[in-house]
Each structure stands twice: as C-alpha cells, then as structure tokens.
Amino acid sequence: MTPVLKHELRAHFHTLSTWLFMAFLLAFVGIGAMLYNIQAAVANFEYVLQFVCIGLVVIIPVLTMRVFAEEKKQKTDQLLYALPLRTSGIVLGKYLALLVIFLIPTAIIAVYPLVFSKYGDVFLLTSYGSMLAFFIMGAALISVGLFISTLTENQGFAAGIAIVVFLLNYYSVRLSEYVSKGAVGSVIALSVLLLALTALIYILTKSSNLAIGVLCVGAVLLAAVWRFNRGLFENLLPTIMSKLSFFDRFYVFVNGVFDIGSIVFYLTVIVFFLFLSVQSLEKRRYN
Amino acid sequence: MIKVEHLKKYYGDFLAVNDLSFEIGEGAVYGFLGPNGAGKSTTMNIITGCLSPTEGKVTVSGYDILEEPIRAKRMIGYLPEHPPLYQQETPVEYLRFVGQAKGLRGEKLEKAIESVIELTGIQSVSGRLISALSKGYQQRVGIAQALLGDPEVIILDEPTVGLDPIQIIEIRDLIKKLGENHTVIFSSHILSEVQTICEKVLIIAKGELIAFDTPENLEKIEQEKCAVHLTVLGGPEETVQALSEFFGEESGRYSIDDSASEEPSDTTKVRIQTDGGDTKALCRDLFFHFAAKNLALTEMTTERASLEKIFVELTEQSAEREVEKK
C-alpha cells in the first residue's frame, strides 16, 4: 500500500487535473467567503461550504477520473497485477493519495474561520464541525469517482459518468418531490433498481448464477411485501431518494447539528465503493 | 520451479489456451515459441498472476499463484508484451516505485536500481522522461524493471521486439548471462533467436503445447522439412528422366514446379524434398548427376524450413495423435 500511496502522490503533483482540482476548490471557497462572510457579513463559515457543494459535483470527477482509467490506457495496470501487491492495497493506496490531495486545500480552507474570528464572532464549533463533515462527504464522493474510474480506460468517460451520477444525487431531494408517492410507483421503481443491481453484479462478477439468484431473492421479497404489507411501499421511493442524498445530509451539519448517523452513512459508502473497486479490478483479471 | 498443470483459458467462447501442462526447472534459459495468437502472452500472463485461468493451476516454487500470490510474485520479474511504463516519470523514479513495491528499501533499493540500470545500459537516459525515450530504450527500462530485486524467475514477453540489431544482440547476451543463475523464460516468434540462446524450447500453437525439446532436436525436425530447388536448362521430359534415374523408387521426393509456365522458357524448375540426411551431399550428388546427363543447372538453392512450416508439421502431428487416440 505505501509504495502505491507514495507513487500516486508524486504522480498527482505531475498532473494538471490535480492542480485544477485544488485551484478550483480554493477559488469556489474564496468566492463563497467573499459573498457570504464579507459582503453579506454573515458570521457562519458553514454557508460557504454549502455554496461550494455544487462545485464538488464537477471538480471531484476531474480529480478521480484518471486514477485507474489512465493505468489501463497506458497498460501499467499489468505492472500492478504482476508486482507483489494486494489489489486491496492498490485501491487503498490510491484512495489515500486522493484524500491527501483533498486534505491540502481543506487545510488552507481551515484558516478562513480563524482569520474571520479576528474581526468578529465566528461560530468556530459549527464551522469546524461542518468542515469535518464536508471533508468526509468529499471522501465519500471521491470513493464513488474512484470506482467509476475502474470501469473504463477513457478518462473523459469516467469524468462524465461521475458528474451525471453526482448531479442526480445532488438533485435527488428535489427530484423526489416529483416521483410517485404511491405504492405502485415505488414497486416499479424498486423493480428497475433491482434489475440495475442484477446487471451490475453480472458485469462485475460475470456469474450469471449469482445475478439470477439476487434477482430472484429481490423479486420474492418485493412480492412478499406487496402481498402482506402494502403500506410499506407508500412514500417509499421519495424517502429512499432523500436518504441517499450526500448533499442533503450535509445541510444538516450546516444547520448546526453534528449528525453521527450521516457520518456513519458516508463511511459506509466509502467502504462499499472501495470494495466494489477492488472487485472491479479483480474482475479485469478474469476477462 | 514453475509447474503449470492443465491450464485452460477462455476469452468468452474463444479458447486461447487448451490444457497446457509443463514443468520448468531451475537455472536455465527457456524459449517460448509460437506464431502470433498462439497463446504465448496469455500463458505468460497467467503464470505471472496478471490473468486468471479458467481452469488449471500454476505454482511457482511451490506457491500457488492464486492462493499465495504475494509470495509467488516475489519470485518473478515480468516484462509484459507492452512494457508497462509510466510515461511521465524518469526511469529512476519508475524503478524506485517498482523496487519499493517489490519490498526493497533504503540503501538496498538504490543499489538494486544502480545495478539494473548498468545491466540494461540505460545510464545515459536515466534522468529523462520515459515518454521522451526511443522504443528500444523504453524496452530496456521495461527489462530493468523485471530484473529489479534479483527475482529467481525472469519472464520476458518478446523482449527483442522494436530493438535495433545491435541492441538485439546485447539483450540476447544479457538473457544468456541471466540464465547462468536465474530461470529465464522468454517468448519469441523468431526460431533462430530461440535456438541460439535457449537450453530448452517450448513450442505452442493454438493454445496447445506441441513440443518441449532441446533446440538440437528441433533442428532435426527442421532439417527433415528442408527442400532443394533446382533450375535445369532443359525440357521437362529430360529432367524427369534424369530425376527418376537419380532417385529410383523414391519418386515422391521430387516435383516439377510449373507455376512459372506462362513465360516460354527452356528451363524446368524442380523441388526436391530432403530426407533429413546431409543436404550438402545431396546437392553435390545432384550436381554431378545432372552434369553427367549433360543437363546444366543454372540455379540451385536450399530452402530451410520456416518456423511456420515446423508449426504446421508439429500441429499436424499432434492432430494425428489425437485422431489415433480416439
């Protein structure tokens, strides 16, 4: 893991997209701080972080797109497979390198509230609490971007898919108001999700038995709940959509609540997508 | 050292490697020979753990490549078909990463890097970006990477491709030298290359092992497949007459080559199959026989069997054996 981490960090500093990521993140925070803290004279730095969220949707894919796609394109993934390294170590090393890159601008951002506190009363606790949540949310987004990068050898494609996924997630709460609240709508949506999950499992594992198994279990569960407790489906889809929103969970921190549940959610997402990335890389060996 | 048992690999429906089994001992140079698409790279990728077999097992020094990959991979240095180079790094930076990944640290690492740079002769370019290097130097950096850490087994997939003739000779010498205290496996589709530096040759075609032999034995097969071409100044009738006198009952040995019959000519072309004996003696006897018949030979060439012909021959043999088994 350590050799990959060191190597990846050095590679990041030789890559334009990494510098762009840091520059844009700092620029967004600077603009936010000017608008909220200086012009509007609000003493809450967390609003600036909320303002930056939409920026993350674009700049995190720019950071993560090359991580595995580039290896595949340059055929250096073969070197990683041939070296005495564990796949999990490779993924973890690359992920930690990304976190270090994300930490650098975050450390600079961390100076803002201190500077502002010289000139007025800044709520440092909520500022830094939100900043921690902001970092962990970013880490979760990075893990998703990392996974998408393992799926293709085309960096642009990796970035494009990640931006679409993040945008859907960003607007999922607003979209959830328009989706069907009824039981039938939820069942249909869940069925589609189930099919998508089956397809994903099949693509990742190439095991048709496993995919069909998951499909059958899911279908039986759906049918059973439909038969015995139809009420459970009421309003289910909008609830799921807003629960899965990374950004909606972050706004709770902005409003001054340090929600441990959401931290656990972010960490779970990170573990899940790192696991998927390892599987995706392992699967390439079976091609 | 390396044991391959009943290896099978499917790409979708395509069978790339079919029931391949062989065992490779210690400290020798092994040549891995096969035409394009024979499954050489696939087999090498499986041995090094870059690819998973559909069926079968590979062990390196007793360590299963799938069950104890880290231990097995520590024994192997591998140069894939496309040298896996990070273009935006210098060879030294690149080798430092590979060395660290192979578990080398500190002074030991620096020394190892220095020694492989010297071995592969890339001192002059070690500070330049890999993307700016020529194909030959890139190939050498790839070889340096495989040699780093002094692994017991060195596997090189077509290491001489893209090199100029002098570099090819240098790399061949290097491989010979490495073979003194390492097990070296390298693949090639050039028969002469394999013959000059290998102690044992594995030939695979269509994913199957069709020969595992010393180069000397392969040469015998090669000689049997030789042919002598004659151009006789004279008509076909006289030529056939002379040939039938020369060969007696073995009339299947010669054939009249009439592919060039469009142009009116006073010459006849003949192709004579050798029987594995001394080709030079055959040529001499033919020469004097035709001279005695008052027929002039305007051209006499010997055709060495190409690798493709040997493949065809060996695959036909293995196909016949299959049929016999059934």
Side-chain angles (χ1 to χ4, degrees):
Chain A
M1 189 187 81
T2 333
V4 178
L5 171 62
K6 279 191 205 161
H7 179 250
E8 196 62 19
L9 269 179
R10 209 178 41 235
H12 270 301
F13 288 113
H14 285 126
T15 310
L16 180 65
S17 55
T18 304
W19 291 104
L20 280 180
F21 166 78
M22 293 198 277
F24 277 118
L25 183 55
L26 288 175
F28 282 133
V29 171
I31 293 167
M34 197 182 72
L35 288 176
Y36 287 89
N37 300 131
I38 296 175
Q39 282 198 328
V42 178
N44 301 61
F45 187 70
E46 48 270 32
Y47 294 149
V48 176
L49 297 176
Q50 186 175 10
F51 168 81
V52 173
C53 278
I54 184 73
L56 286 187
V57 166
V58 180
I59 61 176
I60 284 190
V62 169
L63 177 68
T64 58
M65 63 182 185
R66 54 160 280 281
V67 174
F68 281 104
E70 174 105 335
E71 299 267 358
K72 199 175 182 190
K73 185 141 202 181
Q74 288 198 359
K75 304 216 184 278
T76 42
D77 54 338
Q78 221 167 2
L79 176 72
L80 296 179
Y81 288 134
L83 287 173
L85 298 168
R86 275 173 222 291
T87 314
S88 51
I90 296 170
V91 170
L92 217 56
K94 286 190 172 260
Y95 181 64
L96 289 181
L98 286 168
L99 288 193
V100 172
I101 296 299
F102 186 36
L103 197 60
I104 294 167
T106 312
I108 297 172
I109 294 165
V111 179
Y112 276 82
L114 285 180
V115 172
F116 289 144
S117 68
K118 292 270 178 213
Y119 303 98
D121 289 329
V122 178
F123 305 105
L124 287 180
L125 212 57
T126 53
S127 293
Y128 284 107
S130 310
M131 210 175 290
L132 179 63
F134 180 77
F135 184 76
I136 296 175
M137 177 184 70
L141 288 170
I142 287 174
S143 72
V144 178
L146 182 86
F147 166 66
I148 292 170
S149 179
T150 64
L151 298 176
T152 170
E153 61 177 274
N154 185 332
Q155 295 188 27
F157 192 67
I161 296 285
I163 289 174
V164 170
V165 169
F166 291 171
L167 263 184
L168 281 176
N169 190 280
Y170 187 83
Y171 287 114
S172 68
V173 174
R174 221 177 289 176
L175 286 173
S176 73
E177 289 167 18
Y178 299 99
V179 299
S180 162
K181 293 185 174 58
V184 181
S186 293
V187 170
I188 294 173
L190 285 175
S191 307
V192 171
L193 275 180
L194 182 63
L195 282 175
L197 181 70
T198 310
L200 186 70
I201 289 174
Y202 181 70
I203 292 168
L204 282 183
T205 63
K206 285 278 173 231
S207 156
S208 49
N209 289 343
L210 183 65
I212 291 170
V214 168
L215 185 66
C216 290
V217 171
V220 168
L221 272 179
L222 277 180
V225 176
W226 178 257
R227 176 76 183 75
F228 298 110
N229 192 357
R230 199 166 299 182
L232 213 63
F233 284 124
E234 296 288 344
N235 220 7
L236 185 62
L237 189 57
T239 315
I240 290 178
M241 281 177 77
S242 47
K243 286 268 185 233
L244 285 181
S245 170
F246 288 29
F247 301 96
D248 204 45
R249 285 176 177 273
F250 175 64
Y251 301 152
V252 175
F253 292 91
V254 172
N255 291 332
V257 181
F258 197 84
D259 183 4
I260 296 291
S262 291
I263 298 289
V264 172
F265 168 79
Y266 290 138
L267 294 178
T268 314
V269 166
I270 292 170
V271 172
F272 179 67
F273 278 97
L274 291 185
F275 171 76
L276 278 188
S277 303
V278 173
Q279 294 310 309
S280 166
L281 288 180
E282 283 290 325
K283 176 227 138 197
R284 273 195 198 168
R285 293 203 305 176
Y286 287 88
N287 263 345
Chain B
M1 195 83 220
I2 294 181
K3 208 167 157 191
V4 173
E5 293 168 77
H6 304 291
L7 213 60
K8 256 191 191 180
K9 178 70 190 177
Y10 280 96
Y11 290 112
D13 288 333
F14 176 69
L15 182 60
V17 173
N18 187 11
D19 201 24
L20 201 61
S21 299
F22 57 85
E23 204 168 324
I24 280 174
E26 240 164 275
V29 180
Y30 289 81
F32 212 59
L33 204 58
N36 295 326
K40 295 188 300 269
S41 295
T42 304
T43 310
M44 288 188 149
N45 276 335
I46 293 173
I47 293 175
T48 52
C50 293
L51 201 66
S52 297
T54 315
E55 269 173 49
K57 197 173 149 186
V58 175
T59 49
V60 181
S61 270
Y63 300 119
D64 189 307
I65 192 78
L66 289 181
E67 273 154 32
E68 293 176 275
I70 303 291
R71 285 189 162 184
K73 284 175 188 174
R74 274 189 199 284
M75 310 241 149
I76 303 175
Y78 179 40
L79 170 74
E81 202 176 355
H82 304 274
L85 306 170
Y86 291 101
Q87 302 288 335
Q88 298 309 316
E89 291 173 14
T90 67
V92 172
E93 287 172 340
Y94 172 70
L95 291 173
R96 194 166 291 139
F97 164 61
V98 175
Q100 284 169 348
K102 287 184 175 181
L104 299 170
R105 296 283 181 276
E107 190 128 320
K108 225 174 160 187
L109 173 66
E110 298 305 320
K111 270 195 182 144
I113 293 173
E114 245 170 68
S115 87
V116 293
I117 284 180
E118 207 181 299
L119 261 178
T120 49
I122 49 173
Q123 299 97 324
S124 58
V125 296
S126 62
R128 278 160 60 181
L129 284 186
I130 290 176
S131 59
L133 301 184
S134 68
K135 176 90 173 63
Y137 273 118
Q138 291 194 353
Q139 189 77 11
R140 286 166 184 235
V141 176
I143 295 173
Q145 164 273 121
L147 302 184
L148 200 61
D150 211 22
E152 283 160 52
V153 185
I154 294 163
I155 300 181
L156 308 168
D157 198 350
E158 306 206 348
T160 54
V161 164
L163 303 184
D164 65 42
I166 297 167
Q167 291 173 330
I168 289 179
I169 293 167
E170 282 174 10
I171 295 298
R172 282 179 190 169
D173 289 342
L174 177 64
I175 292 175
K176 255 190 205 167
K177 207 162 101 193
L178 290 169
E180 286 162 14
N181 40 21
H182 298 83
T183 306
V184 183
I185 307 172
F186 84 99
S187 74
S188 177
H189 54 254
I190 305 163
L191 185 60
S192 60
E193 177 172 283
V194 173
Q195 277 173 338
T196 49
I197 47 180
C198 293
E199 279 131 78
K200 274 276 184 92
V201 180
L202 293 101
I203 296 187
I204 65 169
K206 291 181 188 148
E208 286 177 54
L209 186 70
I210 51 175
F212 187 6
D213 222 328
T214 57
E216 290 76 36
N217 287 345
L218 283 171
E219 219 151 322
K220 271 183 207 152
I221 304 172
E222 196 188 357
Q223 269 170 4
E224 281 168 27
K225 293 291 114 190
C226 265
V228 176
H229 290 272
L230 302 180
T231 307
V232 185
L233 198 61
E237 292 84 18
E238 308 156 73
T239 311
V240 170
Q241 174 75 23
L243 282 168
S244 66
E245 275 173 37
F246 185 82
F247 286 109
E249 284 171 10
E250 295 176 283
S251 58
R253 288 272 300 278
Y254 57 87
S255 57
I256 302 294
D257 184 8
D258 48 9
S259 58
S261 60
E262 300 142 22
E263 43 184 284
S265 76
D266 45 1
T267 59
T268 311
K269 287 190 165 106
V270 186
R271 183 180 189 277
I272 295 161
Q273 187 70 48
T274 61
D275 57 357
D278 191 350
T279 315
K280 272 189 191 137
L282 177 72
C283 289
R284 191 193 57 214
D285 293 348
L286 279 169
F287 175 84
F288 286 119
H289 178 73
F290 275 87
K293 292 279 154 201
N294 223 8
L295 287 167
L297 293 177
T298 57
E299 205 180 331
M300 185 188 270
T301 51
T302 50
E303 170 200 297
R304 295 196 74 174
S306 66
L307 185 59
E308 281 66 31
K309 277 197 180 144
I310 293 183
F311 284 134
V312 170
E313 179 65 19
L314 288 167
T315 37
E316 271 171 8
Q317 281 177 6
S318 65
E320 275 165 27
R321 256 178 272 138
E322 287 281 294
V323 174
E324 274 166 31
K325 263 186 229 165
K326 280 169 191 167

